[in-house]
Amino acid sequence: MKRHGTVLLTALAPVSWGTTYAVTTEFLPPDRPLFTGLMRALPAGLMLLALTRVLPRGAWWAKAAVLGALNIGAFFPLLFVAAYRLPGGMAAVVGSAGPLFVVGLSALLLGRRPAPRTLVTGVAAAFGVSLVVLEGAGALDLVGVLAAVASTVSMATGTVLTKRWGRPDGVGPLTLTAWQLTAGGLLIAPIALLAEGAPPALDARAAGGYLYLALANTAVAYWLWFRGIGRLTATQVSFLGPLSPLTAAVVGWAALGQTLTPVQLTGMALAFTATAAAQLGGRKPRSFSSAEKNGRKDSMDLTNPLLRR
């Protein structure tokens, strides 16, 4: 029962990320993918860093930088480039293959041999998402496809390494989230300045959109995500990812007046079923270091009030 609660809380992260497209198109200035990635990451990271008041030590300076680059600094810009250059939901389809990348990397880095059911479930989830988002897709852009694949591989690698490295002694998921968001934001900042120039002028609508992305969509969502990685297997967590494009489709229908066809509803049912099946009967995650054991014990005393991945 406790694990089911962890799954549900972790699932709130991709559900939140599913609102990103609607917020971006309805509230934010157009054609500023790098600035948007920067505004999602750096303010949230600095806010959490001020709350936790804990900096990395020793080897964790390098580990936090690597995880920040994979999960945030590279992932955000690549994701937005793909979203701007690909038609329809093609980027979401590529992203829905993330669980399969995680399965392969988990076998390589964590020693977890994938079960046939896991592979079938991963293909079913990706196929279900494709039915939801690929309707009416036009010609593909090579740069967009490469960016989508790279963003998916980056996130999958970051997820597996987060599981492998755990957390240092006495450090909870909120602190780990702060390190990664800050490192990722600092990586994006100079690239955004060089590629897009000075920040655009923001009206109240855009400021509200960026505030939502930084707080709910990033700080809280990533805290829940990284917290879930510490308590579930990397594969279980990654299989929650398809909830993001499914949420985007529901938000488009409910808030933007978009329609859902019978084929899309069938795809939703298939993807939801595959996501649920991936959470059933999974092995209890094991620790790979005393640091991870201590990190999990620390995260259970929730004096850390709120956030993870």
Side-chain angles (χ1 to χ4, degrees), residues 1-7 231 300:
M1 191 68 179
K2 191 172 184 179
R3 194 189 74 171
H4 294 325
T6 300
V7 170
R231 301 183 178 196
M300 289 177 67

Side-chain angles (χ1 to χ4, degrees), residues 26-70:
E26 298 299 312
F27 291 88
L28 305 184
D31 302 323
R32 301 302 295 261
L34 294 176
F35 179 73
T36 298
L38 173 64
M39 292 297 290
R40 281 189 70 185
L42 192 56
L46 293 176
M47 179 194 71
L48 296 185
L49 205 57
L51 286 175
T52 59
R53 301 182 185 179
V54 177
L55 294 176
R57 286 186 287 183
W60 270 95
W61 281 103
K63 289 182 179 180
V66 170
L67 294 177
L70 291 171

Side-chain angles (χ1 to χ4, degrees), residues 56-287:
R57 286 186 287 183
W60 270 95
W61 281 103
K63 289 182 179 180
V66 170
L67 294 177
L70 291 171
N71 289 323
I72 307 296
F75 175 68
F76 278 6
L78 289 168
L79 180 69
F80 281 110
V81 168
Y84 274 99
R85 298 183 71 103
L86 291 180
M90 187 62 201
V93 171
V94 177
S96 69
L100 297 176
F101 286 110
V102 169
V103 166
L105 289 168
S106 293
L108 181 65
L109 298 177
L110 304 181
R112 295 185 182 278
R113 184 178 301 175
R117 190 188 73 171
T118 301
L119 297 175
V120 171
T121 305
V123 172
F127 180 67
V129 170
S130 71
L131 293 180
V132 176
V133 300
L134 275 188
E135 195 166 298
L140 299 183
D141 176 273
L142 179 60
V143 173
V145 171
L146 292 176
V149 172
S151 70
T152 302
V153 172
S154 180
M155 185 69 147
T157 306
T159 297
V160 174
L161 285 180
T162 300
K163 185 65 182 177
R164 179 177 176 83
W165 288 340
R167 298 189 298 272
D169 293 356
V171 168
L174 185 63
T175 299
L176 185 63
T177 304
W179 293 351
Q180 293 190 53
L181 288 173
T182 302
L186 291 175
L187 178 64
I188 298 171
I191 301 173
L193 184 62
L194 289 174
E196 296 180 351
L202 302 181
D203 56 17
R205 187 178 181 84
Y210 282 125
L211 184 64
Y212 167 78
L213 289 182
L215 294 180
N217 189 267
T218 301
V220 174
Y222 271 87
W223 169 69
L224 290 170
W225 188 255
F226 293 133
R227 176 180 176 274
I229 289 177
R231 301 183 178 196
L232 305 169
T233 68
T235 301
Q236 283 177 311
V237 174
S238 69
F239 266 96
L240 296 173
L243 293 177
S244 178
L246 298 182
T247 300
V250 172
V251 171
W253 167 75
L256 304 180
Q258 299 172 359
T259 59
L260 290 174
T261 67
V263 171
Q264 288 175 306
L265 293 174
T266 301
M268 279 187 175
L270 178 59
F272 274 125
T273 301
T275 298
Q279 310 305 320
L280 301 177
R283 289 177 294 177
K284 184 179 179 181
R286 78 177 191 269
S287 318

